[in-house]
Amino acid sequence: MNKAVRLGTALAAAALAVVGAAWPASASTTVFADDFESGSVSAWTRQRVDGNGSITVAPAPGGGSGSAARFSVPDDGASYRAEVAVNALGWGSYRFALADYLPADWVQTPTETILAQWHGYPLADGSDTKPPIALTVKDGSWRLKVHWLVDPSTVDEAVIPLGSVQFGHWNQWAFDVTWSTPTTPGAITVYRDGVQVGSYSGLNNYHQNQAPYFKTGIYRANWNPAKGIPYPTGGPDVVAWSDSVTVTQF
């Protein structure tokens, strides 16, 4: 049985609704999936922890079933990332489906936290840049941020509000992404718990040699010591959970 259907009665109904939500009529192929029942994150191409955080697999909280990936980043002035990533899957159209969970004791903050992102590569001048697409939390609200190049070194941004966060709740997400090309616009449609909560049409990546690659976990860019942004430390660890990741090409 698909694990998303075993996350509890409410989540199961939402998961089934998402699967049917505006699903393209053409044939589809699953190109990546991990429900973490292996007890590890070995299905992912790489894992990255910056600082003293951790990535573990543990029993799913909040009425979930089986195991889930737990990401933790301490508020210690040195830590800012705990993520897993899968290599680029190619250009075209994809549905990225996943469940995530923010604990009830999550500390709301204006410091933006990325929970999932589709990341590009250094620009032509060698500089790093913002992820083409990112699912973020800020001040208790979900947002989708989209970035593209205006010229070889200038990045523009669109921010799409996705509604308030329900803490202590498993969210079942689906992101239908058609990557833009230099001559054709792309599209993004976002569903949460079976309901469309956002959409975007236009440029949605940097049109590099490879399509953006997918990551999930925790990333707080403003906590990166290299940025030199002061913030109070000593608060509780930032903890988030991910589960039931499936990427389907259509």
Side-chain angles (χ1 to χ4, degrees), residues 6-247:
R6 296 190 286 108
L7 289 174
T9 303
L11 179 59
L16 290 171
V18 166
V19 169
W23 186 255
S26 59
S28 57
T29 303
T30 297
V31 293
F32 178 81
D34 191 15
D35 61 5
F36 303 105
E37 292 307 299
S38 67
S40 75
V41 293
S42 59
W44 297 78
T45 308
R46 54 192 179 277
Q47 305 85 44
R48 180 170 173 180
V49 174
D50 287 306
N52 303 304
S54 64
I55 303 170
T56 58
V57 175
S65 177
S67 298
R70 181 183 186 274
F71 304 90
S72 178
V73 173
D75 184 4
D76 59 4
S79 305
Y80 59 97
R81 185 203 310 265
E83 293 180 303
V84 292
V86 62
N87 279 350
L89 299 168
W91 301 104
S93 299
Y94 295 84
R95 169 165 286 192
F96 296 84
L98 70 148
D100 66 18
Y101 178 92
L102 301 184
D105 59 359
W106 176 278
V107 177
Q108 297 188 39
T109 171
T111 300
E112 195 158 48
T113 307
I114 295 178
L115 278 303
Q117 58 177 306
W118 293 255
H119 211 288
Y121 308 88
L123 298 181
D125 62 3
S127 61
D128 289 328
T129 191
K130 298 177 180 179
I133 306 174
L135 173 67
T136 78
V137 171
K138 182 178 182 180
D139 289 326
S141 295
W142 291 109
R143 310 198 305 172
L144 191 75
K145 302 183 77 173
V146 184
H147 299 103
W148 62 93
L149 288 178
V150 176
D151 58 47
S153 60
T154 304
V155 175
D156 208 347
E157 176 181 275
V159 180
I160 298 94
L162 301 178
S164 298
V165 178
Q166 183 178 352
F167 298 99
H169 166 76
W170 277 102
N171 304 280
Q172 186 70 32
W173 294 97
F175 302 86
D176 288 348
V177 177
T178 295
W179 294 116
S180 65
T181 74
T183 57
T184 60
I188 307 169
T189 306
V190 185
Y191 303 90
R192 187 179 71 246
D193 297 341
V195 177
Q196 182 177 326
V197 292
S199 63
Y200 168 86
S201 179
L203 301 180
N204 59 18
N205 68 90
Y206 304 129
H207 305 144
Q208 297 174 303
N209 291 333
Q210 297 185 73
Y213 60 96
F214 177 69
K215 303 198 285 184
T216 186
I218 295 170
Y219 178 56
R220 279 197 173 173
N222 286 0
W223 281 14
N224 183 348
K227 294 183 178 295
I229 302 173
Y231 65 93
T233 59
D237 293 358
V238 181
V239 175
W241 298 74
S242 292
D243 202 359
S244 302
V245 181
T246 303
V247 185

